[in-house]
Amino acid sequence: MRSAMYVVIAVMLAVVAGCAMHGKDKAKEKKTNAEEAMASVATQVVRPTDVVERVEVTGTLQPADETTVGSRTPGRIVWLIGKEGTPVKAGQVVARLDDTDARTQVRSATAAVQAAEARLEQAKAAVTQQVTSTDTGIQTADAALQAANARLKQALVTADATEASAKAQIKAAEAGLDSAKSRLVMLRNGSRTQERAIAENAVKLAKATYENDQVNYNRMKSLFEQGAVSRAQVDSAETKMRVAEAQLNSAQEQASLVQVGPREEDIQAAEAAVRQAEEGVATARANLKQVDVARANVDIAETGVAQAKAALASAKSARQVNVMRDKDVLAAQAGVQQAKDLLANALQNLDYANIYSPVHGVVSAKMAEVGESVGANAPVLKISTNSSLYYEARVSELEAMRLRAGQSVTLTVDALQGSRTNLYGESTTRLLKGTVEKVVPVVDARSRSFIVRVITPNSAALFPGMFARGSVEVARHAQVMAVPKDALLEKDGKTFVFVYDGGKARAYTVMPGASDGKVVQVMGDLLQGQEVIVAGQQTLQEGDAVKVANGKTTAE
């Protein structure tokens, strides 16, 4: 019984255990089915990032300078640098014309220059000689004028001195005569007290006059020794001094007679003194004629000055000959310049036989052959530059409004890939940096597009006609909230994103802003640090349970 009971219990326990295990399996299966029903998504943590807006363009590289070189003068081509593709440098001769005639012209023009320079040297020598002769004549005439002026000045001084001396002599002689007459009258009439006083005063006056004339004589003598006055002036001063001395002696004697009283012989002596004084007056007046002689010398000296001035004017008039000689020099200089101009023209014509490349580049086309005769300005070669290129692309009229000069451009040249090298064996790079030069303000009516020109870096790896893609940076937004472009969804005219929120998908309405093609700036309730669903969000609904399949990442 007891054994059967144990068996029953064991069976019952087994049944209970089996039911429990079955319940657990059912719950596990149900949970697994629920988990499998949850959407699997990928998320990205929102962080501030820089968003750079770009305008993508395509176009080709164009030569900044493509020029056609040709002959400036008619001629026959005797040499060309090479065929198409030949590299050339700026200033290099790329073609030559026959220069036989040009060289002959250069030799002739050179000889003409030498002859003109010889004539110029002759003209300069004639000018030097004429100037020397003229200057010597002027200096001589000027010296003669100075000498004539000196003689005139001396004659004027002599005439004035002679006239003053003669007048002084007359005045002294007349004074002596008056004194002699007074003495004679006094002797005849006898002396009185007043007469004695007068006699004494006469002595004093005569003495003062003598002393003054003596000083004047000594001065004239000194000036004569210096050559300042003539001998006649010295003699006149000496005569005047002697007369004054005689007058002093006469006055002294008269004073003595006044004191002692007149005697007959004194009266006779006084009468003789009167006669002598009269003769002195006559002599002094006769000496006045020397003034006329001195004035005549002044006239002669003035005539000499006038003649010297005329001679100086004549010497200076010779300067007109200098002017003519200077004109000869100017004419000779003009001849030299004209000859040099002709030589320069001949050399230019000779140089025109050489055709130069104005730029660095390569020969892109031959437009004439050796032996061919060409006319003036005839095209010979076409040269394209590869050192100075620009990138030309077309943009739509909407995008063109966002472009402006100075914007940075990244160029991708498909021909420059990997480790390829250019025609000159140089390594290349695929990405290049450029700058917008300008947007041509003319719209193509058919394509409704504008042309944008981009300045490219100089590189021997670039050639005209290469295809390139350009990315123009038109705006940069620093540290803004942005999400991947694929995370944005639209419904009913609204833009929104799903945010992972504790296993649920929550919809957030946002306003999209700037985009760089990968991420888009968003404005709205989205916060930094939230997890935006970036994959698997297309079928989600608000509040759907979701699971993160690959872990969250941070937006870059």
Side-chain angles (χ1 to χ4, degrees):
M1 282 296 289
R2 185 173 294 179
S3 300
M5 206 169 146
Y6 286 149
V7 170
V8 171
I9 293 171
V11 172
M12 291 178 65
L13 289 173
V15 172
V16 171
C19 290
M21 290 296 296
H22 180 70
K24 288 183 179 180
D25 289 340
K26 288 290 185 178
K28 185 176 180 181
E29 182 180 357
K30 184 177 181 180
K31 182 178 180 181
T32 300
N33 292 334
E35 288 179 351
E36 289 178 353
M38 293 175 62
S40 179
V41 297
T43 63
Q44 186 170 299
V45 178
V46 178
R47 294 283 187 270
T49 186
D50 292 344
V51 177
V52 179
E53 295 186 76
R54 300 179 182 275
V55 172
E56 304 297 330
V57 295
T58 58
T60 57
L61 296 174
Q62 302 290 344
D65 294 310
E66 185 175 45
T67 181
T68 300
V69 296
S71 61
R72 296 189 180 183
T73 184
R76 182 174 57 86
I77 298 176
V78 297
W79 177 80
L80 287 174
I81 190 170
K83 297 182 178 180
E84 290 84 350
T86 303
V88 297
K89 296 181 179 180
Q92 182 179 358
V93 177
V94 295
R96 290 194 182 94
L97 303 178
D98 186 2
D99 59 1
T100 303
D101 293 341
R103 291 185 181 278
T104 301
Q105 292 176 0
V106 169
R107 288 192 294 269
S108 177
T110 301
V113 169
Q114 294 173 351
E117 288 177 342
R119 288 192 294 271
L120 176 60
E121 292 301 321
Q122 292 175 352
K124 288 182 177 179
V127 166
T128 302
Q129 182 179 2
Q130 181 61 41
V131 168
T132 301
S133 175
T134 301
D135 291 344
T136 301
I138 291 174
Q139 292 173 359
T140 302
D142 187 61
L145 176 60
Q146 293 178 3
N149 283 325
R151 288 192 295 271
L152 174 59
K153 184 177 180 181
Q154 180 63 44
L156 288 171
V157 171
T158 300
D160 292 340
T162 300
E163 183 176 3
S165 178
K167 289 181 178 179
Q169 290 177 9
I170 293 173
K171 186 175 181 180
E174 289 177 346
L177 177 58
D178 292 340
S179 177
K181 289 181 178 180
S182 297
R183 184 171 181 275
L184 178 59
V185 171
M186 183 182 63
L187 288 174
R188 287 176 177 172
N189 296 331
S191 60
R192 295 188 295 248
T193 302
Q194 294 84 350
E195 292 174 344
R196 286 194 296 271
I198 292 173
E200 291 175 357
N201 291 333
V203 171
K204 293 178 181 180
L205 176 61
K207 184 176 180 182
T209 302
Y210 169 69
E211 290 174 352
N212 181 62
D213 291 342
Q214 187 179 31
V215 171
N216 184 56
Y217 167 70
N218 292 332
R219 183 172 63 83
M220 286 293 180
K221 185 177 180 182
S222 177
L223 291 174
F224 173 74
E225 292 174 354
Q226 297 175 8
V229 298
S230 63
R231 183 66 187 179
Q233 291 173 286
V234 176
D235 294 340
S236 177
E238 184 179 7
T239 301
K240 184 179 179 183
M241 182 188 68
R242 298 305 178 194
V243 171
E245 182 180 10
Q247 291 174 349
L248 174 60
N249 292 333
S250 177
Q252 289 174 345
E253 290 175 359
Q254 184 173 352
S256 176
L257 289 174
V258 170
Q259 295 293 335
V260 300
R263 292 180 299 178
E264 185 61 30
E265 55 272 23
D266 293 334
I267 293 174
Q268 293 176 355
E271 291 174 348
V274 169
R275 290 191 297 273
Q276 183 180 1
E278 289 175 346
E279 292 176 358
V281 170
T283 300
R285 288 177 176 172
N287 290 337
L288 191 59
K289 294 182 179 181
Q290 294 180 357
V291 176
D292 296 334
V293 175
R295 294 299 178 191
N297 291 334
V298 171
D299 294 338
I300 294 173
E302 288 177 344
T303 301
V305 169
Q307 292 174 347
K309 287 182 177 179
L312 179 59
S314 176
K316 288 182 177 180
S317 65
R319 286 177 175 169
Q320 296 298 324
V321 180
N322 292 0
V323 174
M324 298 301 296
R325 293 287 184 266
D326 290 338
K327 290 182 178 180
D328 292 341
V329 172
L330 292 176
Q333 289 175 338
V336 170
Q337 186 60 47
Q338 183 179 14
K340 287 183 176 180
D341 290 341
L342 293 176
L343 176 58
N345 186 58
L347 290 172
Q348 186 67 68
N349 289 334
L350 178 61
D351 188 61
Y352 283 165
N354 295 321
I355 300 175
Y356 301 91
S357 171
V359 294
H360 294 290
V362 295
V363 176
S364 58
K366 290 177 60 178
M367 309 173 78
E369 298 294 338
V370 174
E372 182 179 344
S373 294
V374 296
N377 300 318
V380 176
L381 295 172
K382 182 178 288 186
I383 299 175
S384 297
T385 63
N386 63 339
S387 60
S388 179
L389 303 175
Y390 67 89
Y391 174 68
E392 184 175 280
R394 288 188 175 274
V395 295
S396 68
E397 56 184 350
L398 295 178
E399 292 180 327
M401 299 301 103
R402 306 186 66 190
L403 302 183
R404 63 183 182 277
Q407 290 175 328
S408 176
V409 183
T410 301
L411 297 177
T412 303
V413 182
D414 292 344
L416 307 180
Q417 296 184 13
S419 60
R420 292 183 181 180
T421 59
N422 60 26
L423 296 177
Y424 302 103
E426 298 178 355
S427 61
T428 60
T429 179
R430 189 172 179 228
L431 296 180
L432 301 171
K433 293 294 184 181
T435 305
V436 174
E437 179 185 24
K438 66 178 178 179
V439 177
V440 179
V442 178
V443 65
D444 188 327
R446 293 176 298 177
S447 62
R448 310 305 299 175
S449 62
F450 287 83
I451 294 177
V452 58
R453 287 188 177 180
V454 176
I455 300 173
T456 62
N458 293 336
S459 173
L462 301 179
F463 292 91
M466 280 185 171
F467 174 79
R469 288 187 294 271
S471 179
V472 185
E473 180 179 324
V474 295
R476 179 177 289 271
H477 307 274
Q479 297 299 295
V480 297
M481 301 293 288
V483 298
K485 182 178 180 181
D486 293 338
L488 297 176
L489 299 172
E490 292 187 2
K491 185 176 182 181
D492 298 331
K494 294 182 179 181
T495 303
F496 61 95
V497 296
F498 280 107
V499 174
Y500 178 79
D501 184 11
K504 301 292 184 178
R506 302 296 182 187
Y508 280 74
T509 301
V510 295
M511 181 181 296
S515 174
D516 63 0
K518 295 180 180 180
V519 298
V520 179
Q521 178 188 6
V522 291
M523 293 166 284
D525 297 332
L526 197 62
L527 300 177
Q528 178 178 342
Q530 289 182 310
E531 296 180 51
V532 175
I533 299 174
V534 297
Q537 76 277 23
Q538 287 81 5
T539 59
L540 292 179
Q541 298 294 327
E542 171 67 23
D544 283 354
V546 294
K547 62 180 179 180
V548 178
N550 60 338
K552 57 187 177 181
T553 59
T554 301
E556 297 295 335

